[in-house]
Each structure stands twice: as C-alpha cells, then as structure tokens.
Amino acid sequence: VQEGSRLSLSSSQAEFLRGLVPAAQRIAIRYGVPASVVLAQAILESNWGRSRLALKANNLFGFKAASRHVDAITLPTTEYDSQGRACVVPARFAVYASIDDCLGDYARLLAFAPRYAPARAVAHDPFAFAEQLEACGYATDAGYGKKLAGLIRRHRLTRFDSRLAKAERESAV
C-alpha cells in the first residue's frame, strides 16, 4: 500500500491492507478469487479488522460455526429478511486459531462450493464477481454486491489484481 497516495486511509487501515494484500494475491493465484474482492470482503465484514469477531476469533468474513468448528463464539449480527428489513440476532461464529486459517476456509469456500460457480465464471471481473456473490447468497444484505464494489472503487483495490497473478493462474491450468 503506497504511503502518501491519494487514498485517504488511516494508518490502521493502511496497516490492515498491508497485512492482507500478500495473502489476497496468493488466494487470487491459487484459487482464482480476485484479490480486490478478498480485500473488500475483509474490510466490509470485519470493519478493517476491528470488529469483535475479527479481534476475538480471527474471523474476518463472518463465518458461522459449522459442526467441524470446535470453538465458537456467540455474538450479535445483523441479518436481512426477505423484505430487506434488518434485524439483529445472536449467531454462533467460527473461531480460528489464526487469520491464515480463516483465509484458507474463505478461499476454499469460494473456489469449490458449487453455489459460487457463477461468481467463479466471472472471476476476471471483480465487480461482476461481487455481484455474483450477492446473487449466490453469500450474505443476506440485498446491497452486498454494491457495497463491495464501492469499497473496491473507493480504495482502488483493483490495483492488487495483478496481471502477474492472472498470468500465473492461467499457466497453472
């Protein structure tokens, strides 16, 4: 992340990005998920790594606890009903030993879950990928794709979608 760039990031936001960019780019190369989308989701879901869930559970993406998660934490979360109304409900979230463990689950989910195949089909376009995540039901927020796109634009996150990553992905096929 360039210091002194036109972006108006706080020092903690710049540090958050600096810490995640290498992992986001590795995910892009290995799994085909645009780095810009990885970063935008981490920003949105964890409030730049400052949410209680991120701080207490190393959970950047709001992953609910599954039966394989031995450790879980119950926290309030905002969910949206079919009419788009927000309501706060308690939910059990996965606790990860590390941010890397969380990123690994995230990458495998988006790369292999059948429900995200439409997003993978447009992985060359991070904005279309974000829209498809919403369409595939990643979140209950009907504005999820637009929120991700806004973060990608506002913070110029596509600069992390390197041509090198794309070339390496294509050569691996």
Side-chain angles (χ1 to χ4, degrees):
V1 178
Q2 292 180 324
E3 297 296 332
S5 68
R6 294 182 341 208
L7 298 178
S8 59
L9 294 176
S10 70
S11 61
S12 65
Q13 289 171 329
E15 184 179 330
F16 180 76
L17 278 182
R18 263 194 302 278
L20 280 184
V21 165
Q25 290 177 324
R26 284 191 302 272
I27 288 169
I29 292 166
R30 184 166 182 195
Y31 295 100
V33 178
S36 57
V37 174
V38 175
L39 296 168
Q41 285 192 276
I43 290 166
L44 180 62
E45 297 283 349
S46 75
N47 189 24
W48 295 92
R50 295 184 307 235
S51 71
R52 283 180 42 196
L53 186 59
L55 295 171
K56 291 182 177 278
N58 291 313
N59 187 333
L60 295 180
F61 301 100
F63 287 143
K64 304 291 192 316
S67 58
R68 65 182 168 69
H69 290 107
V70 176
D71 292 327
I73 185 172
T74 300
L75 294 170
T77 186
T78 302
E79 299 290 348
Y80 295 83
D81 66 18
S82 59
Q83 281 75 42
R85 291 182 302 241
C87 55
V88 177
V89 297
R92 289 185 71 242
F93 290 96
V95 173
Y96 290 96
S98 69
I99 294 292
D100 284 341
D101 287 349
C102 179
L103 288 165
D105 267 4
Y106 167 86
R108 287 184 294 276
L109 174 71
L110 293 188
F112 301 121
R115 80 186 284 177
Y116 298 113
R120 290 191 298 272
V122 294
H124 63 281
D125 179 346
F127 299 101
F129 193 96
E131 287 175 20
Q132 285 302 314
L133 284 179
E134 179 183 321
C136 294
Y138 185 92
T140 59
D141 181 352
Y144 194 75
K146 287 183 181 8
K147 288 177 182 176
L148 293 178
L151 286 166
I152 292 168
R153 283 187 187 94
R154 185 175 319 114
H155 300 295
R156 296 187 304 124
L157 299 178
T158 56
R159 70 187 188 275
F160 302 114
D161 294 329
S162 71
R163 296 189 200 298
L164 175 63
K166 183 178 180 185
E168 288 183 29
R169 234 188 356 266
E170 290 171 352
S171 69
V173 179

